[in-house]
Each structure stands twice: as C-alpha cells, then as structure tokens.
Amino acid sequence: KGFAQAGLPQRCAECANDMVAKGIEPDDITFCTLLDACIVDDRASNAAAAIVDLLARRSNSMDATSSPFIKSLIKGLVRADCVGKALELYDKMKNGGGERPDIVTYSMLIKTLIDRHDLDRALQLFEDMKEVGHQADDVIITHLLEGCRHAGNLDLGKELFGQLLARGVKPSEYTLASMLKLHGRCGAHREAHDLLAGWQKAHNAKPTVIHYTCLMSGCMRTKSYDMAWEAYELMCASGIKPDGMALSTLLPGMVAAQKWDCAIKIARVATADGKTLVPAEMLNNALSQFQAAGGQQRLADEMRGLMAAAGVSILSRGSAGRRATAPRSA
C-alpha cells in the first residue's frame, strides 16, 4: 500500500510476487491495492500484466465473483489497456453463473469497446446487461450512439434513442450532440434539423451553440451549404449567439458555395466587437474570393472595412501582410 500511495505500481507488483514466492497468498485487499495503483498511473501496463499473472496463479479457492474485487480488477485492466483480459474475466463471470458487474462497470466496458470501434461486442454487452436486469441510462446510450456514428448505422442509433425515450429517460445535452453527429455522418441533415428545432419543446432543455455547430458541421462535410445556412438561421432565431467555432465552421462553406450575402453576414458578426472571432486567414481568404468574383466589389470593400475595424492585417503574396485600411470613399 505504501508503494501504491507513492505512485510506484511496478514496485507494488514486485512486492506481490515476493509474497507469492515466500508462500504468502495475496488476498482480495492486496489485489485491490495493486489494481488501484494501476488505475491512477499511466505507466502501469507492466504492473497490470504482472497482476494478471498473479491472478492466473491464484488458487481456485479465491472468491472470484466478489463484486468489489471484480469491479476493481476490470477497471484496472481497462485502465492499463488490458482490455482483452478484462473481457476474458467478464466472460468467465458470465459463463460461471456468478454475480455480474454493476451498471458502472458495464458502461466502462461498453465505452472502451466503442473507443476501439467494436460496436458488435459493445452491443453484446448491452444485451447481457439488460438480461440481468440493468436498464441502460443516458450515458450508455450515448456511448452506443457514438458507435453507431463510427459504423454509419443511423437506423440502429434511432432505435437505441427510441428505447431511451420509451423508458421515460430524459436525454442529456451529450445525447443530443451524439444524435446530431450521427445524422450528420449519415447525411440525414433534414432529420437532424428537425430534431434540433423540436428539442426544447420535446425535452424541456434548450440546445446550446455547440449543438447548432454540430448540425452545421455535418452539413458542411457533405457540402450541403443551404442546410448549413438554415441551421445558422435556426440558431439565431432561437436566441443563441454564435461563437468563434460556429462562425469558423460556416464561413468557409459560404465562400466556397459563393453565397456572398451569407458570407458577409457572417463576417459582420465575427467582427462586430472590434475584434475577430474567426482566424484572420479565413477573413483574408473570403476577401480574396470577393475580389476574384465578378460584381462583388461592394462586398469586397465592406470586408476591407470590417477587417480594418477589427485590426486584421490583409495578407498578400510575397509579403507578411499589412494592416487593413477602410476602403476609400468615392
């Protein structure tokens, strides 16, 4: 325990090996102490491997289904990136008919599998969890929605979300973000728009600028520029003030789509407080596109004025840039 408190997990494992060599059998408290040392230290993979070896050599008289011990062991194995060993232990518990992990442990295992893009195995644990009487909470469903996004499986994601609502669980802001990302990944932008537009009424929670940015970002990835602008207008109509991330997400797309009036509106908002909320390079690119486009000199002049007021330098080829100045009046 002293080595653990000192942050020396490898010394903990060595001490336990010495115990075994001297014929002293480690008990559950000893192993929990070792695992706690693994959990709090990023360098614990070697120590965790040593602990697993000790566990494998331990006598069959150990109460391997002791819930506190199993939770600590699985947590330690996952934390030390020994996920395969953690799943082996889970399968042994399942097949042995002993006590199953609690919902926190299931959630941790499911998230770990999702992070490894193993949606099928995560879904197996999800079904196991339900079979033993645990009900999935918002956190677990959000993990699975992320898995659906990685797999591009919109139908499954909508089914899981529906199950959550059917049980009367209020979805969190994280669930909404995951749903928007999933729809964006699958190109279902209209559905995502409608989900966001009706969220406050359906769930008594107001979406944030992050959620609108998720919707816009999904639209931008598929070059659905009109839908991205609709998302921006929905955000403004809902009384949400766009931040730098939202504006930086939208401005390049409006320029690429040659939606000049939309682009200048974003530039006005981005520079409204005498400083820029978007990168100077992004404003410079917009300005160069205004100048290159036919018939957009008025907007190019306005852009120069906005940049000057925000203290943004105009960059030109072969120079480090010069301070923007307001366009001369006629």
Side-chain angles (χ1 to χ4, degrees), residues 183-189 216-225 227:
H183 281 76
R185 163 75 168 77
C186 299
H189 306 308
M216 288 186 286
S217 180
C219 296
M220 295 291 289
R221 277 194 292 270
T222 59
K223 299 183 179 181
S224 301
Y225 301 124
M227 282 299 307

Side-chain angles (χ1 to χ4, degrees), residues 113-294:
L113 289 167
I114 294 300
D115 289 343
R116 291 168 171 255
H117 294 194
D118 191 350
L119 178 59
D120 291 340
R121 187 70 169 98
L123 289 171
Q124 289 176 9
L125 263 67
F126 178 60
E127 293 301 323
D128 289 348
M129 183 189 73
K130 292 192 293 183
E131 286 180 7
V132 298
H134 294 312
Q135 293 292 335
D137 59 12
D138 172 79
V139 175
I140 290 176
I141 294 298
T142 300
H143 294 332
L144 292 172
L145 289 175
E146 284 297 297
C148 292
R149 177 173 68 88
H150 294 319
N153 193 334
L154 178 60
D155 290 339
L156 177 58
K158 290 163 65 175
E159 180 183 342
L160 292 168
F161 182 67
Q163 291 177 14
L164 184 74
L165 298 182
R167 292 193 292 106
V169 178
K170 182 178 179 179
S172 71
E173 59 181 307
Y174 304 106
T175 305
L176 173 57
S178 292
M179 283 292 287
L180 293 171
K181 291 176 182 178
L182 170 60
H183 281 76
R185 163 75 168 77
C186 299
H189 306 308
R190 176 56 63 187
E191 285 188 54
H193 179 281
D194 294 344
L195 176 68
L196 188 55
W199 190 266
Q200 184 171 2
K201 182 178 180 180
H203 306 293
N204 194 31
K206 189 172 184 177
T208 69
V209 65
I210 294 173
H211 298 113
Y212 291 97
T213 303
C214 283
L215 176 56
M216 288 186 286
S217 180
C219 296
M220 295 291 289
R221 277 194 292 270
T222 59
K223 299 183 179 181
S224 301
Y225 301 124
D226 289 338
M227 282 299 307
W229 186 251
E230 279 192 49
Y232 177 75
E233 291 185 317
L234 176 64
M235 176 175 63
C236 295
S238 300
I240 303 298
K241 184 178 180 179
D243 61 7
M245 180 62 71
L247 297 171
S248 297
T249 298
L250 196 58
L251 180 55
M254 296 302 102
V255 172
Q258 298 185 349
K259 296 175 72 68
W260 307 121
D261 288 340
C262 297
I264 199 66
K265 287 179 182 178
I266 297 169
R268 290 168 188 158
V269 174
T271 59
D273 296 328
K275 60 182 180 181
T276 178
L277 295 177
V278 302
E281 181 182 356
M282 192 174 290
L283 293 175
N284 271 282
N285 180 65
L287 174 59
S288 67
Q289 295 301 317
F290 281 135
Q291 292 171 331

